[in-house]
Amino acid sequence: MVFRIGIDFDNTIVCYDEVFVLAATAEGLIPHDLRGGKAAVRDFIRNLSGGEEKWQRLQGRVYGDQMDDASLFEGAARFLSRCRQRADTSVFIVSHKTEFGHFDESGINLREVARAWMTKHGFFDKAGFNLAGDAVYFEATRDDKIERIAQLGCTHFIDDLEEVLGHPRFPAGIKRILFLNGRSDRPAVSYEVCADWQEIEEAVFANE
């Protein structure tokens, strides 16, 4: 079987939990004793007065000039390395990512920052994950992302958002894998649900 594996980027490959906590604490948006990662920070800030704008501003900063502090999710490097070692496997990054952050006056290009982060972490190195430069797609809308997944002929797609995997136009025949990204609940959906990257690896290569 030929594997054409599509993977979401933000909060699926890249873990921002610590960065969001540190950034929000430094700006006085959350209490110092708040527990949890990005989701806890988001929920707390959105409940503040003007919370949605404050959250979007924070997102723009974290995905922009603070992205260098983000990390790979544990197990993602092992998965990508395993894919690189297989002649029958191609990997594509398909992300809904705008060029510029909401309310970001600095004008940082978020797509360029993301590519720089991938370069730093060996995504394009032959000795690293050996991802082709043209295998990364940043789309302006979620609908564009779904269309790209279809165009690429993915056999698998991994994402942390049910809104993507359950999209009414999501292509049929693709093995959909929901990455829980620290969530404790396991939603009742018709596709695979994985708590971590080890489970994702097992789900993708189950018959190997």
Side-chain angles (χ1 to χ4, degrees), residues 98-115:
T98 58
E99 284 193 78
F100 304 99
H102 301 293
F103 308 107
D104 180 19
E105 296 84 1
S106 64
I108 293 176
N109 188 307
L110 302 184
R111 296 177 180 180
E112 291 179 359
V113 169
R115 280 189 175 273

Side-chain angles (χ1 to χ4, degrees), residues 4-29:
R4 294 177 64 82
I5 302 171
I7 312 175
D8 175 50
F9 186 66
D10 295 316
N11 309 299
T12 300
I13 288 176
V14 192
C15 180
Y16 297 97
D17 286 342
E18 186 175 348
V19 189
F20 269 106
V21 170
L22 291 174
T25 302
E27 295 186 24
L29 293 171

Side-chain angles (χ1 to χ4, degrees), residues 2 45 65 79 95 111-112 140:
V2 173
I45 293 175
D65 60 10
F79 177 86
S95 172
R111 296 177 180 180
E112 291 179 359

Side-chain angles (χ1 to χ4, degrees), residues 19-27 29-30 38 41-42 45 51-66 102-103:
V19 189
F20 269 106
V21 170
L22 291 174
T25 302
E27 295 186 24
L29 293 171
I30 62 173
K38 176 191 173 183
V41 172
R42 177 196 62 212
I45 293 175
E52 185 60 34
E53 180 175 331
K54 290 174 181 175
W55 168 245
Q56 290 188 22
R57 286 182 182 277
L58 183 69
Q59 271 190 306
R61 285 189 288 275
V62 169
Y63 291 161
D65 60 10
Q66 291 182 266
H102 301 293
F103 308 107

Side-chain angles (χ1 to χ4, degrees), residues 61-118:
R61 285 189 288 275
V62 169
Y63 291 161
D65 60 10
Q66 291 182 266
M67 182 164 183
D68 202 44
D69 297 325
S71 59
L72 273 163
F73 271 104
E74 184 177 355
R78 172 190 161 95
F79 177 86
L80 292 168
S81 295
R82 183 170 179 179
C83 291
R84 176 182 60 81
Q85 293 163 6
R86 298 174 57 100
D88 62 353
T89 300
S90 300
V91 171
F92 305 92
I93 307 299
V94 187
S95 172
H96 172 198
K97 181 183 281 292
T98 58
E99 284 193 78
F100 304 99
H102 301 293
F103 308 107
D104 180 19
E105 296 84 1
S106 64
I108 293 176
N109 188 307
L110 302 184
R111 296 177 180 180
E112 291 179 359
V113 169
R115 280 189 175 273
W117 183 92
M118 282 188 275

Side-chain angles (χ1 to χ4, degrees), residues 153-173:
C154 292
T155 57
H156 302 68
F157 199 81
I158 304 160
D159 207 300
D160 69 305
L161 293 179
E162 293 172 61
E163 300 96 298
V164 172
L165 298 178
H167 194 284
R169 288 174 47 209
F170 195 91

